[in-house]
Amino acid sequence: EAGVAQSPRYKIIEKRQSVAFWCNPISGHATLYWYQQILGQGPKLLIQFQNNGVVDDSQLPKDRFSAERLKGVDSTLKIQPAKLEDSAVYLCASSLTGDTQYFGPGTRLTVL
Amino acid sequence: GDSVTQMEGPVTLSEEAFLTINCTYTATGYPSLFWYVQYPGEGLQLLLKATKADDKGSNKGFEATYRKETTSFHLEKGSVQVSDSAVYFCALSDFGNEKLTFGTGTRLTIIP
């Protein structure tokens, strides 16, 4: 069974630029999550989707971050404009509803 | 709100030593508890979980017991190997809420 796919694996941008990350969850998983993992900290949930609807986006900085999950499968997370403090690993996870979350390899973002 | 407190790292042990990584939690409801492991360059992988008090999760020689009276979920292994070198995260999800709340992680290094 294929795992959660993410791209790109690494991205370096300058502050005030925009960036987008892509996630393809495990086939059949209705729930998709985006987490932000700052160096030395545990992952923090940014947004949770159930199919293509948002369940929880309370920790998403909506002035600069946006996410969508069209057709309830793939998802993109966008940052515009990026700040230095957005440097982190962005993790995507998916699950069957109410079950174990499976994580992708992450995208490491460096903002200069 | 929910929170997880993990033993500060990094932890360095010799091969075949006994391992304990402490984890305590605060939650308003009846959480499920998890240990995730992150090997270098890889995404988070579920190591073990427990969903109710006194449950013991186990996998790959690692064990953790859900202790409601002490709000703890300490990770143990009787004899560590070099291949166990990784970052270990304790996490919880509260009943009825799939969101994972993570601790800050403990970096474990095993030397031959």
Side-chain angles (χ1 to χ4, degrees):
Chain A
E1 179 183 83
V4 176
Q6 289 188 247
S7 67
R9 292 294 309 274
Y10 305 91
K11 189 73 177 179
I12 300 174
I13 61 172
E14 295 190 350
K15 60 183 179 184
R16 291 188 288 275
Q17 286 187 323
S18 62
V19 64
F21 312 126
W22 174 81
C23 173
N24 180 239
I26 293 173
S27 177
H29 281 194
T31 310
L32 185 147
Y33 313 79
W34 283 103
Y35 290 85
Q36 180 192 56
Q37 185 179 11
I38 293 173
L39 186 65
Q41 299 181 19
K44 181 186 79 172
L45 180 69
L46 293 175
I47 189 166
Q48 176 185 345
F49 291 94
Q50 178 78 14
N51 295 309
N52 60 349
V54 175
V55 174
D56 183 353
D57 64 357
S58 57
Q59 298 295 305
L60 189 73
K62 298 180 187 64
D63 58 334
R64 298 183 300 105
F65 286 65
S66 64
E68 61 182 8
R69 191 183 184 197
L70 300 177
K71 301 180 182 178
V73 182
D74 294 6
S75 177
T76 56
L77 176 70
K78 297 178 182 177
I79 307 175
Q80 182 179 9
K83 293 185 175 181
L84 296 176
E85 58 262 36
D86 298 333
S87 294
V89 176
Y90 291 85
L91 297 166
C92 180
S94 70
S95 71
L96 293 170
T97 303
D99 199 32
T100 301
Q101 293 184 32
Y102 294 88
F103 285 79
T107 296
R108 182 177 298 277
L109 173 67
T110 301
V111 182
L112 302 176
Chain B
D2 296 345
S3 67
V4 175
T5 301
Q6 253 183 269
M7 176 176 173
E8 293 278 335
V11 174
T12 302
L13 294 172
S14 297
E15 203 166 20
E16 299 183 2
F18 184 86
L19 168 71
T20 300
I21 301 178
N22 291 336
C23 172
T24 58
Y25 67 90
T26 302
T28 53
Y30 301 94
S32 294
L33 301 174
F34 306 82
W35 277 100
Y36 278 82
V37 58
Q38 189 171 36
Y39 297 103
E42 299 183 16
L44 290 163
Q45 300 175 23
L46 178 66
L47 181 58
L48 52 84
K49 68 178 183 181
T51 57
K52 61 182 187 297
D54 299 325
D55 269 2
K56 178 184 283 188
S58 61
N59 186 27
K60 298 182 181 180
F62 290 89
E63 293 183 341
T65 301
Y66 189 142
R67 301 288 189 197
K68 191 170 184 290
E69 63 276 13
T70 55
T71 62
S72 65
F73 193 55
H74 304 323
L75 182 69
E76 297 182 335
K77 186 175 185 181
S79 177
V80 293
Q81 306 301 313
V82 172
S83 56
D84 294 326
S85 297
V87 181
Y88 292 81
F89 291 92
C90 185
L92 68 81
S93 68
D94 217 341
F95 182 76
N97 180 351
E98 297 165 22
K99 167 187 169 181
L100 283 171
T101 299
F102 286 89
T104 54
T106 302
R107 181 175 298 277
L108 174 67
T109 302
I110 309 300
I111 54 177

